[in-house]
């Protein structure tokens, strides 16, 4: 025994060290798969978006490529997913028999069991986790959101997103990936607030938990946001703890737009920038950001806005740097 760490062990320890340094003292955060915080698959709107004929690729440069079939998801769907991740004490990994496995003992490569992630909660807890009024009138909306999530099938591509998009544009497969649903099944035993609700996630979520590709999201801020644009921007901003600014080109990607794309006009671009300013004001109001400013980049008519911001909660390493001079002085 040499006592030396393997490369994988060193990377894991370094990742754990960075995670500890980047903690911001969040209260009851949600451990969310990183790709679900850095995707444009959730539109900044709430109604009229599910269409079984829709099949689209949602691309965020340098971050993710997700193909969605069965509809376009929105803010309500994102909030329900994040609320489930927030209920960590209600979440468990189960090993259940595979109903498709042969019964005669001959496996032929078919697994006898498979693992699932399951959340067992109540309607009341689910509403409370989202900051919604705990009233039976909200149960039908929750049920409809689950139904939407159940019918959507997503393809999650692994690897360099920019290279994946280049291959997809050439009509190729794009690389390694997985076809899955976000949610496999939803069951409930009643329509009262304290009735039990059981939700099983799809394989993609399980894979993310297995590989620890998770980020800690400040869910208190997420559910306090009023702007749908802010709900699209905040998960990305909060999942990048060392970043101090974001360009509007990235903000546009997070809502499946291009600042100077073919679909944009002077009017729609002006409205988009207004929505961005309101979103940053909303993130300040909700306690996520302390302040923000805009910097203009470039020349001529195609200037780009860069949004500088400061988190309301300092990272652990920043807090230590603030406290150390005071302790030395004492």
């Amino acid at each position: 025994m040499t006592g030396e760490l393997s490369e994988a062990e060193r990377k894991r320890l370094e990742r754990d060290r960075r995670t500890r340094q980047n903690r911001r003292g969040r209260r009851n955060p949600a451990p969310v798969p990183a790709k679900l915080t850095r995707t444009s698959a959730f539109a900044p709107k709430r109604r009229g978006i599910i269409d079984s004929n829709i099949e689209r690729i949602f691309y965020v440069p340098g971050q993710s490529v997700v193909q969605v079939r069965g509809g376009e998801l929105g803010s309500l769907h994102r909030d329900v997913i994040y609320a489930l991740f927030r209920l960590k004490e209600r979440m468990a990994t189960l090993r259940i028999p595979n109903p498709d496995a042969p019964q005669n003992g001959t496996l032929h490569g078919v697994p006898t069991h498979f693992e699932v992630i399951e959340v067992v909660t109540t309607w009341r807890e689910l509403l409370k986790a989202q900051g919604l009024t705990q009233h039976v009138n909200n149960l039908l909306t929750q049920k409809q959101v689950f139904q939407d999530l159940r019918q959507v099938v997503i393809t999650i591509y692994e690897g360099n997103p920019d290279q994946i998009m280049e291959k997809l544009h050439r009509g190729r497969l794009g690389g390694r990936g997985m076809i899955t649903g976000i949610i496999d099944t939803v069951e409930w035993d009643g329509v009262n607030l304290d009735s039990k609700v059981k939700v099983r996630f799809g394989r993609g979520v399980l894979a993310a938990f297995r590989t620890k590709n998770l980020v800690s999201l400040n869910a208190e801020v997420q559910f306090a946001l009023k702007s749908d644009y802010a709900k699209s921007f905040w998960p990305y901003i909060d999942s990048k703890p060392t970043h101090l600014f974001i360009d509007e080109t990235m903000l546009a990607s997070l809502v499946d737009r291009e600042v100077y794309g073919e679909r944009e006009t002077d009017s729609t671009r002006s409205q988009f920038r207004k929505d961005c300013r309101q979103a940053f004001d909303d993130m300040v109001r909700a306690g996520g950001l302390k302040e923000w400013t805009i910097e203009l980049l470039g020349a001529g008519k195609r200037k780009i806005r860069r949004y500088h911001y400061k988190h309301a909660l300092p990272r652990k390493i920043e807090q230590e740097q603030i406290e150390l001079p005071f302790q030395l002085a004492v």
Side-chain angles (χ1 to χ4, degrees):
M1 296 291 292
T2 63
E4 294 183 359
L5 298 176
S6 67
E7 182 64 21
E9 290 172 327
R10 282 195 295 270
K11 289 182 177 179
R12 185 171 64 250
L13 289 174
E14 176 61 21
R15 187 166 58 247
D16 291 342
R17 183 187 68 82
R18 291 197 305 269
T19 298
R20 288 192 298 272
Q21 289 181 336
N22 290 331
R23 287 175 180 165
R24 295 186 183 275
R26 301 175 179 92
R27 184 177 59 163
N28 191 19
V32 181
K35 286 189 182 297
L36 287 181
T37 66
R38 303 165 189 174
T39 180
S40 56
F42 298 94
K45 52 187 177 181
R46 298 171 183 247
R47 295 286 188 268
I49 55 179
I50 289 296
D51 182 346
S52 60
N53 296 320
I54 287 179
E55 182 170 348
R56 293 179 58 190
I57 295 176
F58 296 93
Y59 166 54
V60 178
Q63 303 299 324
S64 65
V65 177
V66 177
Q67 189 169 5
V68 179
R69 180 167 55 85
E72 184 182 13
L73 302 174
S75 300
L76 294 178
H77 305 94
R78 188 200 298 261
D79 279 357
V80 167
I81 293 170
Y82 286 1
L84 290 169
F85 288 129
R86 198 179 188 192
L87 298 172
K88 301 181 290 294
E89 69 281 1
R90 306 296 188 195
M91 185 179 293
T93 302
L94 307 179
R95 191 168 184 267
I96 62 177
N98 183 358
D100 297 324
Q103 301 299 314
N104 59 5
T106 304
L107 300 182
H108 300 295
V110 178
T112 58
H113 293 75
F114 56 88
E115 291 183 340
V116 297
I117 287 184
E118 186 174 87
V119 177
V120 180
T121 183
T122 65
W123 293 115
R124 186 188 303 277
E125 284 186 323
L126 188 60
L127 293 171
K128 184 179 179 181
Q130 297 171 73
L132 297 175
T133 303
Q134 298 167 45
H135 194 281
V136 291
N137 289 349
N138 283 327
L139 301 193
L140 185 60
T141 300
Q142 297 293 294
K143 178 259 183 187
Q144 183 61 53
V145 171
F146 280 130
Q147 185 171 314
D148 293 343
L149 287 169
R150 182 64 185 83
Q151 78 177 52
V152 170
V153 176
I154 62 175
T155 301
I156 303 174
Y157 289 98
E158 298 293 338
N160 185 304
D162 306 324
Q163 295 177 359
I164 291 171
M165 282 302 296
E166 183 181 346
K167 292 178 182 177
L168 291 175
H169 282 316
R170 297 203 307 263
R172 297 173 59 186
L173 186 58
R176 196 167 57 123
M178 174 188 297
I179 299 175
T180 182
I182 299 177
I183 287 177
D184 275 347
T185 60
V186 182
E187 301 176 20
W188 58 93
D189 62 9
V191 292
N192 298 314
L193 285 171
D194 294 312
S195 298
K196 185 169 67 174
V197 182
K198 184 190 298 182
V199 181
R200 284 186 180 174
F201 284 107
R203 290 177 52 211
V205 173
L206 177 62
F209 273 81
R210 276 177 169 169
T211 57
K212 303 298 183 182
N213 290 328
L214 306 174
V215 296
S216 179
L217 176 72
N218 190 328
E220 290 286 332
V221 172
Q222 180 70 21
F223 296 126
L225 295 170
K226 305 299 182 184
S227 160
D228 288 322
Y229 273 76
K231 285 180 175 290
S232 295
F233 299 158
W234 174 249
Y236 179 89
I237 288 174
D238 199 40
S239 73
K240 298 285 189 177
T242 61
H243 289 202
L244 301 176
F245 65 83
I246 183 170
D247 290 342
E248 67 176 348
T249 50
M250 178 57 74
L251 295 177
S253 294
L254 291 171
V255 292
D256 193 35
R257 297 177 65 168
E258 294 181 59
V259 178
Y260 291 103
E262 294 180 356
R263 293 181 292 171
E264 302 292 342
T265 64
D266 289 343
S267 176
T268 60
R269 191 178 304 111
S270 176
Q271 182 61 47
F272 167 70
R273 286 168 173 164
K274 179 181 177 181
D275 291 334
C276 288
R277 293 192 298 271
Q278 292 176 343
F280 274 84
D281 283 340
D282 195 18
M283 285 184 272
V284 172
R285 181 200 58 79
L289 300 181
K290 185 176 181 180
E291 58 190 26
W292 63 275
T293 58
I294 291 179
E295 176 189 5
L296 290 178
L297 303 177
K301 294 184 177 180
R302 293 209 163 203
K303 290 187 177 70
I304 292 294
R305 275 69 174 166
R306 172 171 288 177
Y307 291 78
H308 296 263
Y309 55 83
K310 186 174 183 179
H311 276 271
L313 295 176
R315 292 182 295 149
K316 184 176 185 296
I317 188 172
E318 294 169 342
Q319 187 64 34
E320 291 172 349
Q321 291 170 350
I322 294 171
E323 294 174 351
L324 182 58
F326 174 77
Q327 294 169 352
L328 292 176
V330 171

